[in-house]
Amino acid sequence: MKTIVICSGGMDSVSLAYLVAEQHELTRLVSFDYGQRHRKELDFAALAAKRLRVPHDIIDMRGIGASLTGSALTDDIDVPDGHYAEETMKVTVVPNRNAIMLSVAFGVAAANGDDAVATAVHGGDHFIYPDCRPAFTEAFNTMQQAALDGYAEVKLYTPFVHRSKADIAVEGAKVNTPFAETWSCYKGGADHCGRCGTCVERREAFHLAGLTDPTTYEDPDFWRCATGVTGTEETL
């Protein structure tokens, strides 16, 4: 299955890229610059493409992103600390972001003769992000079949949609994903902040997976407070 992977440069999408390279035919990585404040993630996506020896397309969506206002990821709004399960994290929603990205990626796939577009949406995203939920991905796949009817057959591949981030860590480790060369933090500093929702979820995922987290965090212990985990052990 010739597959494009939408890659942000984070541990989820890079793990997916390595999984696709192992199990299918990875044709390219596609990333999006939508004016995100933490755009250093795109450098990590480029690094993943280089390691996997596939082309890397960066789609310029900054003009569109400028109109998708009200998110802490694009506007001058503080990124909240804490776990994704908290209501405050909804300020990180960029409206319709995944729907827009997927539409573009399906066009790229159809133009290049690919069979699938893969995205790393997972169960941990469901509470906050409506366009990461199974109902959305199923409906989007149906819509794309109609949009490309008679022109191309491209399907949406979402192997993690019913799985946790800890599951992604396990699966990524199986295919030797270089986790240290991925970027998750929404604050975009020199190191991962350790306090934003995606940092907390990342650190928790390694803990639950029983894997050593190679990430350097500015605040390496905040995740325990945010998740209620006690103890000093690095892994289970």
Side-chain angles (χ1 to χ4, degrees):
M1 186 169 67
K2 296 171 63 179
T3 305
I4 284 176
V5 171
I6 296 177
C7 185
S8 69
M11 66 174 284
D12 304 339
S13 60
V14 174
S15 292
L16 178 59
Y18 274 76
L19 185 69
V20 167
E22 178 78 16
Q23 298 180 352
H24 302 286
E25 181 182 348
L26 177 65
T27 58
R28 70 184 60 240
L29 302 186
V30 176
S31 302
F32 295 87
D33 181 352
Y34 56 92
Q36 60 268 51
R37 292 162 60 186
H38 57 293
R39 73 180 307 280
K40 67 181 293 181
E41 66 182 14
L42 298 175
D43 296 333
F44 287 83
L47 180 60
K50 183 177 180 180
R51 278 185 164 274
L52 290 164
R53 299 178 181 176
V54 294
H56 180 221
D57 297 337
I58 298 179
I59 308 297
D60 188 348
M61 277 181 29
R62 287 174 293 177
I64 296 172
S67 297
L68 306 180
T69 58
S71 172
L73 303 193
T74 55
D75 294 0
D76 189 19
I77 299 171
D78 289 340
V79 176
D81 296 338
H83 197 276
Y84 269 136
E86 297 177 28
E87 193 74 16
T88 54
M89 293 301 163
K90 289 188 176 180
V91 75
T92 64
V93 172
V94 179
N96 243 32
R97 177 183 61 174
N98 280 2
I100 295 167
M101 292 178 179
L102 283 168
S103 292
V104 174
F106 264 81
V108 173
N112 286 278
D114 292 305
D115 303 308
V117 172
T119 184
V121 296
H122 63 88
D125 291 332
H126 297 171
F127 176 74
I128 298 294
Y129 305 115
D131 55 1
C132 291
R133 297 169 187 161
F136 166 78
T137 57
E138 292 164 10
F140 189 91
N141 188 57
T142 299
M143 180 271 290
Q144 279 299 147
Q145 305 317 303
L148 294 172
D149 184 37
Y151 180 78
E153 292 186 13
V154 183
K155 69 177 183 178
L156 182 59
Y157 183 50
T158 56
F160 302 145
V161 72
H162 294 291
R163 306 189 71 181
S164 70
K165 199 177 187 80
D167 292 331
I168 294 175
V170 170
E171 295 303 316
K174 288 179 182 177
V175 292
N176 299 313
T177 302
F179 293 120
E181 297 177 3
T182 64
W183 184 265
S184 299
C185 183
Y186 280 161
K187 297 185 181 180
D191 295 316
H192 283 70
C193 73
R195 300 180 64 93
C196 70
T198 189
C199 277
V200 169
E201 188 188 38
R202 178 185 175 111
R203 183 63 188 87
E204 180 187 35
F206 282 107
H207 173 75
L208 294 175
L211 298 170
T212 298
D213 185 353
T215 313
T216 299
Y217 298 99
E218 293 176 6
D219 189 339
D221 297 318
F222 177 79
W223 73 280
R224 294 186 181 279
C225 174
T227 61
V229 171
T230 58
T232 58
E233 73 283 357
E234 281 301 301
T235 59
L236 294 177

